[in-house]
Structures are given as C-alpha cells and as structure tokens.
Amino acid sequence: MAALSALDTELLTQDLPGLARVAVASPIYSGQRGQIEYRVAGDARNPAVLMLHGLGSSSAGYRAQLAGLSRDFHVIAWNAPGFGGSSPISGQDAGIDDYADAVEGLLCALRVRRLAVLVGSSWGSVVALAFARRYPALADSLVLSAPNVARGHLVGDARAAELNAWLGTADIDIPVSRAAIADKLLAPDAPPLVRQHVERLRDAMTTEGWRQAIRSLFTISTPDIISAVRCPMAILSGTLDQVAPHRDHAARLLAAAPSATSHQFEACGHMLKLEAPAKFNAIVRQMAAETWSEASIAK
C-alpha cells in the first residue's frame, strides 16, 4: 500500500478515548438488561455517527475515526455484545437481528434519536444492514467497509459443515500468531504503525462472543436484504482484500443495490479504516453532508 500521509499518521497516533459502559434494556439479554461497552468522542449535540466493528476486532479499531471526526460529530464505537466488557446475548443461537436490537438498545440508552451515519466494517456491515432494515427511521445513511455477504444462503449439510468449521477455530485460547493475522488482514507492505494497531485488535475478543457472532452470520444473506434498505449507502472495498474480496462481496451487494456508491481503496486490504483513515473519514463526512440536512428538515 502507499505510504501513510501526514494526516493518516496523525490520526493513527492519537490516543483512544477511554471505555465507558451503559445499561441497556432489551429482551436479548438474560434478565432483560445488559451492559454495552463503548468509546465516544465529540459533542453530544452534534450529528451522531456509530461505528460497528468486525469479528476479530473491537471499538479500538476506530481510533482514527474517533480522532478525526469528533470535531464535527458525536462519534460512538461499540464493543458488540460478547466483546470486551459488553454482555453476551442470551443463549448460543444469536441471530443477526439480535445484534440489530442491541444497536437500537444502545442508542436508546445514550439518548441518540437517530444517526447521521451508521458505519459497519466486515461483520459490522452485516449488523448495519440488518439494523437499517429493522429500524429504517434511525439511520440516515450507511457506510459499509469491506462488507460481507454473510452465510445465510447455505442450507443443510453444507451449512452445518461450514458453521462447524468456523466454530472449531473460534477459541481465544488457541495460539495464533498476531503477525499472521495482520498478514491476512492487511496489504503486504502495510506500514508498521498500521500493523501494530491491527495486531492488538483481538485483545477484546471472548470465545463466547466470537462464537455467537459467527452463528449470526449464518442467519442472513445480505444481498437478499440490501434492496430493502432505503437510505443512501457507500460501499468501500480494498483491492488487496484477502478476507472479503471485492468480486465475492462488495460487487454482489452493489449488483443488488445499484443506487449505492462504490469506493475502491487501491493497494489496501481488509482494514480500510486503519490503512487509509483520512480517505475513510472523508467518505463518512460526505455521506453525512448529503443526508443530514435533508433528513433534519423531513423529520
């Protein structure tokens, strides 16, 4: 990938906001209540932007967005249920709509009436689409980064075999090289600063949360639902993404939602928010600028 710009470097060297927790009332939790852990930056009176992370990540992956967007936005990045200090969803068989309900519960708990932009990366893009379909009045636009078509199209023995294969590796106690993980997620020549951040993102994972999130991927096929999402969407993909190659994921979503805008990140892998943070932030700003004023008048 290209060398980091001065702005990219500045964004990636900012300190993360501290973690906070809020009580969330929802039937997805045992006892109807749970805790969601999150990071926040920016004035709560500004338009709200919520960031949803991927399977092997956490709110810490949005370091550059919390730093770079907080002057003009109220930026929130969650640790999904079962990640970090967030309560897991009750039972083993969490569906994607359970995570969408958790997002709605978080917004209620934080008294956020609606989002100017909902950002989802990888698995987070799947949650974002499910949320926008389920709660259309609460998100004015979506940014889907390195999106995933999910596995809900699989049935029968094929579904069982693939799900079991995924679950068999989902254990934080299995030794895995951090460098090998970064090699898979990033472009081959990613700068050391980017690799350093990516190698730490698994620190907030728990085995239970990881397995619940995997199961949710098998309850939805995003190309089947994206046409039902009416808000403007930007779909971001890295040309060197090994995890969710453009032709297998973003291209299929764009075919199902031709009104969505496509942004390809040359020489980038799967972690666009860290590999090209200034460009990533500019797209979030653009989506907010195009939708927020009109939505404010309409609502």
Side-chain angles (χ1 to χ4, degrees):
M1 61 177 284
L4 294 172
S5 69
L7 178 54
D8 286 335
T9 301
E10 179 183 352
L11 292 170
L12 292 171
T13 53
Q14 297 300 305
D15 291 336
L16 276 168
L19 285 164
R21 289 189 194 180
V22 65
V24 173
S26 175
I28 67 172
Y29 295 115
S30 176
Q32 310 295 301
R33 292 187 73 81
Q35 296 274 330
I36 290 184
E37 192 172 59
Y38 65 99
R39 301 179 194 271
V40 64
D43 193 325
R45 294 170 294 184
N46 286 338
V49 176
L50 177 61
M51 310 277 179
L52 308 179
H53 61 78
L55 278 181
S57 190
S58 72
S59 58
Y62 286 107
R63 171 190 305 270
Q65 287 65 53
L66 289 158
L69 296 171
S70 57
R71 183 186 65 189
D72 302 307
F73 299 96
H74 183 49
V75 187
I76 306 158
W78 81 343
N79 283 343
F83 288 72
S86 294
S87 305
I89 294 169
S90 298
Q92 290 189 335
D93 296 325
I96 201 67
D97 283 342
D98 292 320
Y99 291 93
D101 290 345
V103 172
E104 190 270 343
L106 174 62
L107 296 182
C108 286
L110 297 179
R111 299 182 180 178
V112 174
R113 294 179 60 189
R114 77 179 192 279
L115 298 167
V117 188
L118 177 59
V119 178
S121 177
S122 195
W123 170 67
S125 75
V126 182
V127 178
L129 282 168
F131 174 84
R133 178 185 62 165
R134 196 166 174 83
Y135 299 99
L138 298 185
D140 290 334
S141 63
L142 300 184
V143 171
L144 308 177
S145 176
N148 199 295
V149 298
R151 313 306 293 160
H153 62 282
L154 296 174
V155 295
D157 292 343
R159 180 186 186 278
E162 186 165 331
L163 175 58
N164 288 334
W166 282 50
L167 293 175
T169 63
D171 187 338
I172 63 169
D173 293 325
I174 296 175
V176 180
S177 163
R178 290 176 182 253
I181 293 168
D183 287 344
K184 185 174 182 180
L185 293 172
L186 296 171
D189 55 350
L193 179 58
V194 176
R195 291 184 63 88
Q196 172 186 315
H197 289 320
V198 170
E199 289 180 5
R200 295 175 178 171
L201 290 182
R202 288 168 59 98
D203 291 350
M205 291 177 67
T206 70
T207 297
E208 181 180 9
W210 191 4
R211 289 177 174 170
Q212 280 187 326
I214 286 172
R215 290 188 179 95
S216 77
L217 271 176
F218 287 75
T219 66
I220 190 171
S221 173
T222 52
D224 293 342
I225 70 159
I226 193 170
S227 62
V229 175
R230 299 304 182 191
C231 66
M233 290 178 277
I235 295 180
L236 287 49
S237 55
T239 60
L240 299 181
D241 191 338
Q242 304 174 66
V243 177
H246 176 88
R247 67 180 181 277
D248 298 328
H249 294 272
R252 290 178 59 191
L253 292 172
L254 288 162
S259 64
T261 58
S262 176
H263 302 266
Q264 290 209 29
F265 284 55
E266 291 295 330
C268 286
H270 193 64
M271 305 298 290
L272 305 178
K273 57 186 179 284
L274 291 169
E275 292 177 273
K279 179 177 179 178
F280 189 105
N281 289 0
I283 293 170
V284 176
R285 287 183 180 279
Q286 178 185 352
M287 294 300 289
E290 291 177 357
T291 60
W292 180 257
S293 295
E294 180 180 346
S296 298
I297 294 170
K299 297 176 182 179

